[in-house]
Amino acid sequence: MNTATAADYGWIRSSSSLFMFALEAGYTMTLVRGVLPEEVFRLARAEPGEVCQGLHALIQRHLELLDESDDWPESFLTGAFTVPGPRPDWTVILEFGGELGMRSGFMEPLSNGTRAVSHSSNGGKPMDFFHWYENGELRTTFEWPGDRTGRTPDDLNPLMREVGLDPSGDEDPEVDRKAAVLALTERLTGVRLTEDLLRDAEYLTAEVPEEPSEEWPAVVDITNTCGEQTYVERREDQF
């Protein structure tokens, strides 16, 4: 029986932990059962590239790609490895500044016939998300434990309480919510993420294209509370 709690993931806040880079820069981590890294990148429509020996090398390559871009890069680096063990069933997907694990168009086919769990943070701003997919369907997702959506938003409530998350929204200030989310991920996957595992893994990498931004219409129709319509022309130099 898996008994992981937030206390098992206190190491993520250590100043010496490379995971602190993920928390500060923003990250998305996804765990999927039975899908190899090469297949992950096929679903992401990205060509596999070099192998980074360890998390430090993955971070360095990410920083190099940022330095090589004059503006915001049109792709982000993603690394993936299969968790070692007697039954290598799970693949870990890690990215900095990307949102692959939050794209429904990726997570639905990735989890088709299996399970996928992702959690993320956008860095300095307090936005942290959790997603549980089962057989192509988003079962439970939340930013705050008390505000859940998905096909079965309450199915994880007993596990959430056990790891230190309160589904009622009445959070214990002594519990590290991010550490508890990692513990919840372990409960769903059976994978114990350790600093050593992430630090020493061999990451197959790929540059995943950013999704095209939604274009705004040239003329915006604004209707006020009285039903009066105003048409505003949008100019490119306004944004």
Side-chain angles (χ1 to χ4, degrees):
M1 179 179 177
N2 193 301
T3 59
T5 67
D8 294 304
Y9 286 90
W11 59 266
I12 67 173
R13 301 294 183 180
S14 169
S15 59
S16 62
S17 169
L18 285 174
F19 197 79
M20 280 298 293
F21 176 85
L23 294 174
E24 293 168 358
Y27 81 94
T28 303
M29 178 181 288
T30 305
L31 284 81
V32 59
R33 182 176 55 206
V35 183
L36 294 175
E38 293 83 358
E39 178 65 9
V40 167
F41 292 136
R42 187 190 69 79
L43 292 172
R45 299 179 182 179
E47 286 293 328
E50 64 182 307
V51 173
C52 285
Q53 301 290 333
L55 183 55
H56 187 270
L58 184 67
I59 291 173
Q60 287 301 115
R61 183 60 187 136
H62 162 72
L63 294 175
E64 289 170 3
L65 287 176
L66 292 181
D67 289 341
E68 292 168 5
S69 301
D70 295 330
D71 201 349
W72 188 255
E74 296 181 354
S75 61
F76 53 87
L77 185 70
T78 300
F81 69 91
T82 299
V83 178
R87 296 180 60 193
D89 294 337
W90 288 88
T91 291
V92 175
I93 309 160
L94 178 60
E95 60 213 73
F96 304 111
E99 78 296 331
L100 188 58
M102 295 188 288
R103 295 179 182 177
S104 59
F106 169 74
M107 292 294 288
E108 289 171 2
L110 179 73
S111 63
N112 189 27
T114 187
R115 171 177 291 182
V117 181
S118 72
H119 50 85
S120 62
S121 174
N122 67 338
K125 299 178 181 179
M127 295 177 65
D128 300 86
F129 295 95
F130 172 88
H131 305 276
W132 165 40
Y133 280 81
E134 197 85 21
N135 196 25
E137 181 179 64
L138 178 59
R139 298 286 300 276
T140 304
T141 181
F142 60 84
E143 179 183 3
W144 303 98
D147 187 16
R148 302 171 307 284
T149 57
R151 183 72 175 83
T152 56
D154 298 330
D155 274 14
L156 298 183
N157 288 6
L159 286 182
M160 291 175 69
R161 293 188 182 94
E162 290 177 13
V163 302
L165 297 169
D166 191 337
S168 73
D170 187 15
E171 293 189 273
D172 183 345
E174 299 297 320
V175 174
D176 184 333
R177 180 155 41 95
K178 177 59 69 176
V181 163
L182 267 71
L184 180 61
T185 301
E186 180 178 338
R187 293 291 190 104
L188 288 169
T189 65
V191 175
R192 170 62 60 92
L193 287 175
T194 66
E195 186 172 6
D196 289 347
L197 175 64
L198 296 176
R199 183 191 63 214
D200 299 334
E202 294 185 352
Y203 294 84
L204 179 64
T205 66
E207 294 182 33
V208 177
E210 291 277 6
E211 290 189 314
S213 59
E214 183 178 353
E215 294 187 1
W216 288 30
V219 176
V220 181
D221 176 5
I222 301 174
T223 303
N224 65 20
T225 56
C226 298
E228 299 172 337
Q229 288 182 310
T230 302
Y231 296 91
V232 179
E233 183 177 358
R234 180 186 68 88
R235 301 195 314 270
E236 294 297 331
D237 58 3
Q238 291 178 304
F239 300 91

